[in-house]
Amino acid sequence: MAANNGKAVLFVCLGNICRSPIAEAVFRKLAKDNSVVDHWRIDSAATSTYEIGNPPDHRGQACMRKHGTNMSHVARQVTKDDFATFDHILCMDESNLRDLKKKASQVKNCKAKIELLGSYDPQKQLIIQDPYYGNEEDFETVYEQCVRCCKAFLENYS
């Protein structure tokens, strides 16, 4: 976990088994590689309840192994406390953004800045598409987008 004076980032997608755990693992590896992981609290969550308690999708896990990145996560849903304890909540698409902003409006002490992770993409690909109904190539695309976006985000806030 992060140091007391650290920053906190939560990555969010619909089910928390594809995009957000990939983003979490990518960001954690980048933070480790840059020797700043101890300054960050890093997690991921879902807007829905569909996959609570499940591990990441096996195709995402295979993609991450291929890139030498560890991924260990159990799907969970975003809580009201997340809006008060995370500095940044970064989501994958417009539907996630709408759901999060609606939930945030019901939290009195919301401190989180809620944005699309893709807003940090130097290639300007704003939306990170859900690969769930796709194939291994779609997971690779998500991985590549997450690497670009997480690098830019980390540079911006470190």
Side-chain angles (χ1 to χ4, degrees), residues 34-48:
N34 286 280
S35 302
V36 295
V37 73
D38 291 338
H39 301 272
W40 285 92
R41 177 177 165 220
I42 306 163
D43 198 0
S44 64
T47 57
S48 73

Side-chain angles (χ1 to χ4, degrees), residues 1 13 21 25 40 48 55 69 73 87 89 91 101 106 125 139:
M1 279 304 185
C13 68
W40 285 92
S48 73
T69 303
H73 186 76
D87 302 305
I89 298 179
C91 62
K101 286 188 174 184
Q106 300 165 3
Q125 292 181 352
F139 281 85

Side-chain angles (χ1 to χ4, degrees), residues 41-156:
R41 177 177 165 220
I42 306 163
D43 198 0
S44 64
T47 57
S48 73
T49 59
Y50 304 143
E51 300 288 347
I52 290 175
N54 290 333
D57 186 285
H58 66 93
R59 296 164 295 174
Q61 291 184 49
C63 176
M64 299 306 281
R65 276 193 303 274
K66 181 177 105 177
H67 291 285
T69 303
N70 293 329
M71 181 161 53
S72 174
H73 186 76
V74 176
R76 71 174 187 88
Q77 189 177 30
V78 172
T79 66
K80 285 185 176 184
D81 191 49
D82 290 333
F83 293 97
T85 61
F86 282 92
D87 302 305
H88 303 274
I89 298 179
L90 302 175
C91 62
M92 307 300 149
D93 60 36
E94 295 288 351
S95 177
N96 303 153
L97 191 61
R98 270 191 311 276
D99 290 346
L100 288 167
K101 286 188 174 184
K102 183 178 179 183
K103 288 181 183 193
S105 71
Q106 300 165 3
V107 177
K108 288 187 177 112
N109 56 344
C110 178
K111 77 168 190 173
K113 182 176 183 181
I114 303 166
E115 304 176 275
L116 290 168
L117 176 59
S119 67
Y120 292 91
D121 190 347
Q123 294 185 15
K124 306 295 184 209
Q125 292 181 352
L126 194 59
I127 302 303
I128 299 175
Q129 297 293 337
D130 193 344
Y132 185 78
Y133 293 106
N135 57 32
E136 286 78 11
E137 282 181 27
D138 298 313
F139 281 85
E140 182 66 25
T141 298
V142 167
Y143 170 79
E144 291 169 3
Q145 285 179 277
C146 286
V147 167
R148 291 192 311 265
C149 297
C150 288
K151 275 184 183 177
F153 176 79
L154 185 60
E155 287 171 9
N156 200 41

Side-chain angles (χ1 to χ4, degrees), residues 9 11 23-31 40 42 150 153-154:
V9 61
F11 298 96
E24 174 190 355
V26 164
F27 187 80
R28 189 177 309 281
K29 183 176 187 320
L30 289 169
W40 285 92
I42 306 163
C150 288
F153 176 79
L154 185 60

